[in-house]
Amino acid sequence: MKRLIHNMDDYLAVIALSGIIILISSNVIFRFVLNNPITWTEEVSLGLFIWLTFIGISSGIKHNSHVGIDYFVRKLPARIYHITQTLRLVIIFATTVVVFVYWGMGFAIHGVAKVTPVLGISYTFINMAVPLGSLLAVYHLSRVFIRKDRAYIHQERGLE
């Protein structure tokens, strides 16, 4: 169970990316070869892309592969470097909890009344990617803080 939760973001991202590739490829074939496009593929692909993006945030945090410009920070003395890296993770954690989890949940809940034009699916299903991906990111960051993982904090590697 622990391994499933730890890798859930990777599994969901693979499913979303595979779905996007299959749907768009199918629609290209249907549109240009059979001259009969599938009308709902754009909506579903857009929803899957949103899921891929927000679940990808969690995967990026888990693998410690998010973008950062740290040239000057790496030139600092070791003790100050450790403090700035820890502070960076605390700020990422706080921002993720407040902005993405808390406000993202409100964003998802308010999507109930809004539906997609072709399929009539509630935007709540699409918008749930924001708090879910963020909760997974908080889970990965919590593991770093609980284990006091110096290698992750110093950006030497991701979580294993």
Side-chain angles (χ1 to χ4, degrees):
M1 183 68 174
K2 183 178 177 182
R3 184 177 174 100
L4 176 69
I5 292 172
H6 184 70
N7 293 320
M8 184 183 298
D9 50 3
D10 294 333
Y11 298 143
L12 289 173
V14 166
I15 291 169
L17 185 60
S18 300
I20 291 169
I21 292 169
I22 290 168
L23 284 173
I24 291 177
S25 299
S26 300
N27 198 30
V28 166
I29 292 169
F30 271 79
R31 179 179 301 264
F32 294 110
V33 176
L34 302 175
N35 202 20
N36 187 17
I38 306 169
T39 57
W40 51 267
T41 56
E42 183 180 350
E43 275 182 15
V44 176
S45 296
L46 181 64
L48 288 173
F49 186 74
I50 292 169
W51 272 85
L52 179 64
T53 301
F54 285 99
I55 297 299
I57 290 171
S58 171
S59 186
I61 286 177
K62 178 175 62 179
H63 296 292
N64 205 4
S65 60
H66 46 278
V67 176
I69 302 171
D70 59 351
Y71 176 77
F72 295 110
V73 176
R74 288 190 182 271
K75 300 282 184 192
L76 295 171
R79 180 165 164 69
I80 296 173
Y81 176 74
H82 181 73
I83 291 169
T84 58
Q85 291 299 91
T86 304
L87 180 64
R88 175 185 64 90
L89 288 177
V90 168
I91 291 170
I92 291 171
F93 184 84
T95 303
T96 304
V97 168
V98 173
V99 174
F100 291 115
V101 176
Y102 181 71
W103 290 346
M105 189 60 81
F107 178 64
I109 291 170
H110 285 93
V112 171
K114 189 177 174 187
V115 294
T116 59
V118 175
L119 293 175
I121 297 171
S122 173
Y123 271 92
T124 298
F125 295 114
I126 296 170
N127 297 343
M128 280 305 294
V130 177
L132 180 63
S134 303
L135 281 172
L136 289 169
V138 166
Y139 165 76
H140 295 305
L141 284 172
S142 298
R143 289 187 64 214
V144 170
F145 290 127
I146 289 169
R147 292 176 20 197
K148 296 181 178 137
D149 193 345
R150 289 183 67 89
Y152 185 94
I153 292 170
H154 290 271
Q155 296 182 343
E156 295 167 7
R157 62 165 177 74
L159 294 173
E160 296 172 357

